[in-house]
């Protein structure tokens, strides 16, 4: 099946069906920020700005890569870019493989840069290709093309083995992927972000990647969009009963987002971490940052907001998240993101014991790696 058609299927299913991990949560629910009755700060003086990829964001938020490769997707990328430019947040485009295969589709990605510029914004824009494409023969020149196509500030190399495993046409060869990602990162003059797609980065992978020079990670953990569940719906629509059953078994596969943030920071304390996967509110974002992330990211709610309310819908959603984020900082007495990273946290025994099982000592983490 053509990449272009598959992408449209994905958009339809994610918008119309219940594609979030059934029975698995981000575990941000298991992290509590402590209320401060007298915050000793003014809501209006809270500074949520942060430097990311050499540019200034008004708050630590990113709409992570979703789409491109189809006229419908071009419109979505343009709207998200306009919203991001107005609000001062970062964005990514979806996999640019379709445009590498067929350059007539380049405009469906480039609109993200062009529309942001029309709004007068110099947004942080992240290009996107899959690690599986590197294994299949893409080299640094293809990645460079993806970056140049949209004048990107960085490139996300997505890793989506769980999704690929449940596609009849899936790219299920990830041999040497770490070497190939490291080689691309070494040769490029723009940062490489290694990005999961909803099933979570864990300690082992991040540790090895850090040793190979990678310093940017988008954990994209379990608890939000499950790409195995998306493939379950696709298999059902196509009458592939066996595949659908197998995908159903793995619909909640993965490392929950809160756990993934801690494992990633523990493995790569000096890295820049994007916490995504099931981030749905500004309070989720604040918890993720207090737990050790630098930026919070989200995807599914944005495409749904677009479908319902176009540009106003996307802006409304992102403004609400910004308001909640500021409120969370205000109510914990944090005046800046640096202070948010030092907030006291109550972590549930369940999350603590999961982390312990993964070799993370919570008190050492909270008082050590988290603060770096
Ligand atoms: C995605 N995601 C994604 N990621 C990626 O690296 N390349 C891609 O092409 C896509 N495509 C895509 C399409 C759509 C419609 C959605 C909703 C998502 C994954 C996305 O960036 C994110 O990692 C996950 O969806 C988890 O975040 P949410 O959706 O739970 O906020």
């Amino acid at each position: 099946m053509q990449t272009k058609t598959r992408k449209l299927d994905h958009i339809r299913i994610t918008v119309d069906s219940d594609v979030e991990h059934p029975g698995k949560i981000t575990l941000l629910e298991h992290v509590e920020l402590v209320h401060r009755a007298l915050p000793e700060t003014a809501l209006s003086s809270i500074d949520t700005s942060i430097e990311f990829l050499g540019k200034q964001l008004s708050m630590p938020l990113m709409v992570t890569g979703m789409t491109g490769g189809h006229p419908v997707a071009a419109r979505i990328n343009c709207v998200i870019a306009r919203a991001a430019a107005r609000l001062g947040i970062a964005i990514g485009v979806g996999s640019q493989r379709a445009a590498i295969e067929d350059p007539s589709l380049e405009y469906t990605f480039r609109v993200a840069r062009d529309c942001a510029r029309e709004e007068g914004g110099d947004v942080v824009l992240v290009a996107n290709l899959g690690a599986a494409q590197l294994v299949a023969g893409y080299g640094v020149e293809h990645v460079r093309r993806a970056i140049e196509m949209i004048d990107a500030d960085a490139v996300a190399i997505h890793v989506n083995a769980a999704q690929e495993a449940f596609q009849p046409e899936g790219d299920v060869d990830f041999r040497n992927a770490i070497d190939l990602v490291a080689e691309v990162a070494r040769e490029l003059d723009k940062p490489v972000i290694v990005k999961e797609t909803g099933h979570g980065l864990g300690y082992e992978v991040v540790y090895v990647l850090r040793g190979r020079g990678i310093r940017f990670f988008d954990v994209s953990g379990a608890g939000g969009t499950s790409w195995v569940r998306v493939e379950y719906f696709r298999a059902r629509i196509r009458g592939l009963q066996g595949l659908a059953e197998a995908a159903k078994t793995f619909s909640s596969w993965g490392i929950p987002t809160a756990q993934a943030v801690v494992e990633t920071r523990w493995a790569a304390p000096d890295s820049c971490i994007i916490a995504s996967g099931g981030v749905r509110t500004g309070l989720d974002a604040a918890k993720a940052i207090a737990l050790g992330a630098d930026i919070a990211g989200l995807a599914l709610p944005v495409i749904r907001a677009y479908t319902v309310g176009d540009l106003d819908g996307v802006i409304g959603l992102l403004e609400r998240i910004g308001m909640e984020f500021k409120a969370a900082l205000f109510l914990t007495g944090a005046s800046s993101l640096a202070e948010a990273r030092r907030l006291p946290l109550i972590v549930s025994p369940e999350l603590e014991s999961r982390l312990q099982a993964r070799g993370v000592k919570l008190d050492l983490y909270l008082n050590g790696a988290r603060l770096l």
Side-chain angles (χ1 to χ4, degrees):
M1 176 180 278
Q2 267 197 323
T3 313
K4 190 174 155 184
T5 320
R6 189 166 67 234
K7 286 284 149 189
L8 206 54
D9 280 358
H10 284 154
I11 293 176
R12 283 204 194 102
I13 293 171
T14 49
V15 168
D16 294 340
S17 308
D18 178 11
V19 291
E20 296 192 276
H21 283 257
K24 193 166 239 173
I25 54 176
T26 62
L27 293 183
L28 290 167
E29 300 82 350
H30 288 230
V31 177
E32 193 173 323
L33 300 172
V34 180
H35 175 59
R36 199 173 175 103
L38 285 168
E40 293 286 326
T41 183
L43 187 58
S44 60
S45 69
I46 292 172
D47 179 10
T48 57
S49 66
I50 184 175
E51 196 199 301
F52 181 48
L53 296 168
K55 293 177 181 170
Q56 203 68 16
L57 304 185
S58 70
M59 62 177 157
L61 196 65
M62 171 165 189
V63 179
T64 60
M66 278 189 280
T67 200
H70 192 281
V72 172
R75 167 112 181 90
I76 298 171
N77 278 336
C78 172
V79 165
I80 295 173
R82 284 190 195 284
R86 288 199 201 168
L87 299 176
I89 64 168
I91 51 170
V93 294
S95 173
Q96 290 164 263
R97 176 185 175 183
I100 301 275
E101 287 172 2
D102 175 1
S104 74
L105 297 172
E106 286 185 4
Y107 82 96
T108 65
F109 297 94
R110 202 169 43 236
V111 285
R113 180 56 84 201
D114 294 344
C115 291
R117 284 198 177 129
E118 276 170 29
E119 292 292 326
D122 186 17
V123 294
V124 171
L125 178 58
V126 175
N128 193 299
L129 279 175
Q133 270 68 71
L134 299 183
V135 177
Y138 278 26
V140 70
E141 67 283 7
H142 295 91
V143 182
R144 226 174 247 136
R145 260 192 13 232
I147 292 173
E148 283 165 6
M149 196 186 295
I150 58 170
D151 189 14
D153 301 286
V155 60
I157 300 292
H158 69 257
V159 291
N160 64 338
Q163 176 190 12
E164 299 286 355
F166 299 100
Q167 288 188 37
E169 67 278 50
D171 294 312
V172 283
D173 186 351
F174 280 80
R175 277 174 293 184
N176 298 325
I178 289 178
D179 280 347
L180 295 167
V181 170
E183 193 182 310
V184 164
R186 216 178 22 251
E187 289 187 31
L188 281 179
D189 55 1
K190 294 274 164 89
V192 166
I193 304 171
V194 173
K195 173 184 182 302
E196 242 289 346
T197 54
H199 299 276
L201 292 178
Y203 181 86
E204 295 82 354
V205 167
V206 173
Y207 183 83
V208 175
L209 286 168
R210 188 197 167 276
R212 304 296 301 275
I214 306 295
R215 288 293 183 279
F216 289 83
F217 299 97
D218 180 341
V219 305
S220 197
T225 307
S226 161
W227 278 91
V228 178
R229 193 154 166 80
V230 175
E231 295 306 337
Y232 157 75
F233 284 115
R234 266 183 85 221
R236 262 193 17 190
I237 293 164
R238 298 163 79 187
L240 304 170
Q241 208 44 44
L243 187 64
E245 286 299 317
K248 195 171 178 189
T249 306
F250 283 81
S251 279
S252 273
W253 181 260
I255 304 172
T257 299
Q259 184 184 329
V261 166
V262 174
E263 289 196 26
T264 300
R265 178 67 69 203
W266 187 253
D270 56 351
S271 61
C272 176
I273 298 174
I274 300 160
S276 73
V279 169
R280 299 292 176 257
T281 67
L283 179 54
D284 287 339
K287 288 178 181 182
I289 281 163
L291 203 54
D294 297 282
I295 309 266
L298 75 168
L300 186 65
V302 178
I303 198 153
R304 288 186 172 167
Y306 165 83
T307 315
V308 177
D310 209 83
L311 179 60
D312 288 345
V314 175
I315 289 182
L317 167 77
L318 297 171
E319 280 181 342
R320 188 209 84 211
I321 289 176
M323 195 187 302
E324 292 167 341
F325 184 73
K326 267 201 172 163
L329 265 59
F330 176 60
L331 293 173
T332 50
S335 302
S336 66
L337 298 177
E339 286 179 24
R341 276 283 279 282
R342 311 190 93 78
L343 286 171
L345 292 176
I346 297 173
V347 174
S348 77
E350 181 185 334
L351 178 53
E352 182 168 3
S353 76
R354 289 178 74 104
L355 291 170
Q356 199 172 359
R358 299 285 294 138
V360 180
K361 287 198 176 15
L362 186 64
D363 53 345
L364 261 184
Y365 173 77
L366 291 177
N367 298 310
R370 168 176 84 127
L371 307 178
L372 292 175

